[in-house]
Amino acid sequence: MTIFTLTQADRRSSENEIQCSNMSVLPIGTHYSLLFDPFVTSRSGSANWEFIWYGEHNTQPDFKRVESLLEAESLTALWGMRGVLIAVKRNHNLIYIFNDCFGAFPIFFNNSEDSKNALISDSLQPFTGSVPDWVSFYQFLCFGYTIGGYSLYKDVQRLKANHGLKIEVNDSYFSARSFPLKNFWVGRNYVSTRSVNDLIDIVRTEANMFEEPQLMMSGGWDSRLLLAALEKRRPELYTHGDLHSREIAIVRDIAQLCGLPLVERAFDPSGFDSNLFRQYLARNESAMFTHWDAAGHYAQNKNLVMTAGTFGEMLGGHYGTINVLPGKKKYLSLLLHMMGVGGKFDHMLMQRDSQVILNYLKVSSYHVFWFLNEELREALKSKNLIEESNQRLEELFTAYQSQGMDDIQLMFERYYTEHRGGQYINRQLTNAARGLNYRNIFTNKDLVETVASIPFSMRAHNKLNKAIIQRLKPELLKFPMAATLTSAKRPLLMQELSRAARKVVEGNSRAYKFYSAHSRYGDCRFGWNNFRDIVQPEWIDELMPLLSPHLWDTNKLKQAIVNGSGDGSYPLFDMISKAITLGFFNPAGSDSNTQNLAHNFCEPTGIY
C-alpha cells in the first residue's frame, strides 16, 4: 500500500497505476507531482502552505503551530510527530517531510534526478527494480531491520528516525537533504520528585483520546500499564496463541478482575496460508507478525482503535547494555545490580566503554544464510557483508555522538528503540491495524521526552511501570508476570529468583510435577506462542510460491522442521516471514511469482 509518492510529472509510470490506486495529484512546479492517497491522508492548507498528514489515530498536529515554525525556520522543533507530515510551500517548489521519533513510519528517497523511478515515497514498491543492497538484505535477515539510513536497494535511502527532509525542485534541479530534529535523548534535566506524577498525567490524558479501544493483552508490564490507564474507557481485551498456556490464563484472570470483555483466539494452522501472507505484503510490504492479522480484522469489524505495548521497552528499561553480555555474565550482572554493587562489576567488564559495546553489537558470521540458495549463499559470502554491516553500525554511532550524545547507554537504547522497536517490534501493531486505525500511548511526545530524561537505572526492570500501576490499579500486581512465578508486587530480587526457578521447572520433570500440583496455573503450559502446528513441512509447500528458489532452499527449511524439537517453531516462523518479505522485493530478479507480486502494488484503497 503506497500512501504518497513524489515523482517527475513526465515519469508518473502509467496513468492507470494512479487511477487504480485512487491517488490524488498535487503538482509541484511544472516537472514534479506529489501523488497521495486521499482515503488515508488528511489535507489542510493556508495562503502559503499545503499540508498532507497521515499517522496514528487522532494525532493530527496543530497546523497553525507547524506553519509558524516553518516560517521561522525552527525546523528541529517539529519533532515528535506521530506519523508523517508533508508541508508544501506554495509557489516556491519547496517541500518538507517530517517523520516520527522512532522511524516507525518509513520514508524512502532517491536523490538522483536521473532516477527512472519515484524520487520519494513512503513505500519501497515504486523503487522496485533498483539494484539490491545485499548488506541490508543480510541485516534484515539477521535482525528484521536495516541499520541507519540504508534501505534494501542501493541508491535508495531510508530517512532516519526523528529526521526531516528538505526537497527543493525547479525545471533543472532536484535536491533532497535530510536533517536531524531535536535530539530528545539529551539535554533535559531530570527531576525525581515529578517523574511518576508526570507520567501518570500523560498516560491519563492519552487514555482520554481513545473512543473505543482494543487492547492487545499479553499480561506483561506494558499491557498491564496500558490497561491501568485505559480501564475507564472500558477497552475490549484481545489475546491470542495457545489458549491452554499459563500466560493466557493470567490474562483471563486480569480480565475477570476488571470486568472487561476478553477475546481469545487460538492460532488456526489453516489460516496461515499463502493468501494471508500475500495480503500482508500488499498492505504492508511486510510479511512479519501475520499472527496478529485476526486481531486487526476483529478491530476493523467492530470499529475499534487498536493499541498495544510496543515501544513500552523505553519506559520499562528493556534496552540496557547489560543485554549484550553473554549468558552467565548477564545474570551475574543483574544479580549484583539488585544487590546494589553492580556498578563495579560493569566497570570491570567495561560496560561504559563505547567500543566494547559496539563490538558486542557487531555481526561476525553468516549463520543466517543456512537456508539460502547455495549459489547465492556462496556469492554473498564473497561480498564482505559482515565488514560493511559493522562499518554502518559504527557510522551510526558516530552520528549519534555528533548530535551531542556521549553516554553509551543512551546511544545503545536509542539504537535499539529506533531499529528493533521502530522497524521490527512495532510492526506487530502497524501491520495488523487497517487504515492506520491504531494509537500507541508510548509514542506521545511528552511521554517520550519525560522518559528520556529519567536515568536508565531508574527505569530498568520495569521500575516505573510498577510504580505507575501501583498508583492507578494496584490490583493488577497480584498476578505473576509471564516469565516469573511470583506475583508482580514482590520485590525485583524475588521475581528474578522465581524466573530462575521457572527455568528449573521447565527443565526438570520432578520440579515440574511439584509445580503442577501446587501452583494456581499448574495445569497450564508455559508459553503462549505455540506455532508447532503451523510450522510443518506441508506449510512450506503452501508458501512455495512466495519462497523463490533463486533465494531460498526450501528443502533445508523442511529438514529444519523435521529435525527440530518444536521449541524453535516460533523463531523459524519469524525467519520464514523475513524470507517472504525479502522475496517480495525480488533481489534475485528472475522468479516470475515473486516478481509479479512485487510489481502488483496497485490495490484499491477501499479494502483497508
Side-chain angles (χ1 to χ4, degrees), residues 342-582:
K344 293 182 178 179
F345 185 69
D346 288 351
H347 180 75
M348 183 178 69
L349 294 177
M350 303 178 73
Q351 285 287 283
R352 309 305 295 176
D353 187 305
S354 59
Q355 195 56 51
V356 170
I357 299 302
L358 269 176
N359 287 339
Y360 277 124
L361 289 173
K362 289 178 179 178
V363 290
S364 59
S365 76
Y366 292 117
H367 67 277
V368 294
F369 284 174
W370 62 271
F371 66 109
L372 254 64
N373 168 291
E374 183 176 358
E375 183 179 353
L376 177 62
R377 181 172 66 250
E378 295 308 313
L380 292 183
K381 284 183 177 180
S382 68
K383 288 181 176 290
N384 298 320
L385 303 183
I386 291 175
E387 292 80 1
E388 290 190 43
S389 179
N390 291 335
Q391 182 178 342
R392 291 181 184 183
L393 182 70
E394 290 188 351
E395 289 173 358
L396 181 67
F397 274 70
T398 298
Y400 289 165
Q401 290 172 326
S402 70
Q403 295 174 31
M405 301 185 74
D406 56 10
D407 185 331
I408 186 57
Q409 168 56 55
L410 281 179
M411 288 189 281
F412 179 90
E413 188 173 14
R414 178 179 176 182
Y415 167 75
Y416 266 105
T417 305
E418 292 179 350
H419 292 80
R420 179 175 167 77
Q423 295 184 45
Y424 180 67
I425 297 295
N426 197 51
R427 281 284 191 178
Q428 297 173 113
L429 180 59
T430 59
N431 280 4
R434 270 58 165 185
L436 301 177
N437 201 31
Y438 68 90
R439 187 182 179 105
N440 191 330
I441 286 180
F442 293 114
T443 60
N444 176 284
K445 176 181 176 181
D446 295 330
L447 181 69
V448 167
E449 190 170 33
T450 301
V451 171
S453 74
I454 300 172
F456 180 82
S457 60
M458 298 193 67
R459 293 183 278 122
H461 313 304
N462 300 289
K463 294 187 185 77
L464 287 177
N465 300 57
K466 186 174 182 178
I468 294 171
I469 295 170
Q470 183 68 50
R471 292 273 298 277
L472 295 179
K473 186 74 174 178
E475 300 93 326
L476 294 177
L477 298 176
K478 67 185 282 189
F479 303 106
M481 290 293 153
T484 61
L485 301 181
T486 190
S487 71
K489 66 183 178 182
R490 300 294 184 189
L492 177 60
L493 181 59
M494 288 185 65
Q495 291 188 52
E496 290 304 319
L497 289 174
S498 77
R499 185 193 303 270
R502 171 178 167 161
K503 293 182 180 296
V504 173
V505 167
E506 289 185 272
N508 184 286
S509 58
R510 293 180 65 181
Y512 186 82
K513 185 177 180 180
F514 179 85
Y515 164 80
S516 299
H518 294 88
S519 170
R520 171 180 174 79
Y521 304 107
D523 59 343
C524 301
R525 290 192 285 262
F526 287 111
W528 66 269
N529 57 343
N530 183 352
F531 285 74
R532 286 188 293 272
D533 293 337
I534 299 170
V535 181
Q536 294 293 324
E538 55 269 23
W539 183 58
I540 302 299
D541 292 330
E542 165 63 25
L543 299 180
M544 200 76 79
L546 305 178
L547 292 167
S548 166
H550 298 281
L551 289 173
W552 317 110
D553 187 334
T554 52
N555 287 326
K556 288 190 175 180
L557 287 172
K558 291 180 182 180
Q559 195 60 49
I561 294 171
V562 172
N563 294 341
S565 64
D567 294 338
S569 57
Y570 180 72
L572 192 53
F573 179 91
D574 186 72
M575 183 63 77
I576 292 170
S577 300
K578 291 175 186 174
I580 292 174
T581 301
L582 289 170

Side-chain angles (χ1 to χ4, degrees), residues 163-182:
H163 272 63
L165 194 62
K166 181 179 181 180
I167 303 109
E168 297 176 281
V169 300
N170 59 36
D171 293 349
S172 60
Y173 177 76
F174 173 87
S175 170
R177 179 182 63 84
S178 67
F179 54 91
L181 303 179
K182 175 185 173 181

Side-chain angles (χ1 to χ4, degrees), residues 282-283 300 434 603-608:
R283 195 168 68 233
Q300 180 188 38
R434 270 58 165 185
E603 185 166 350
T605 308
I607 69 168
Y608 300 109

Side-chain angles (χ1 to χ4, degrees), residues 5-18 33 35 116-119 125-128 599 601:
T5 300
L6 176 67
T7 187
Q8 294 190 49
D10 58 350
R11 288 184 182 167
R12 281 191 269 174
S13 301
S14 61
E15 290 296 330
N16 58 354
E17 281 185 2
I18 298 171
S33 296
L35 317 177
K116 295 180 180 180
N117 297 312
L119 298 171
Q125 291 171 343
F127 301 99
T128 299
H599 284 86
F601 63 88

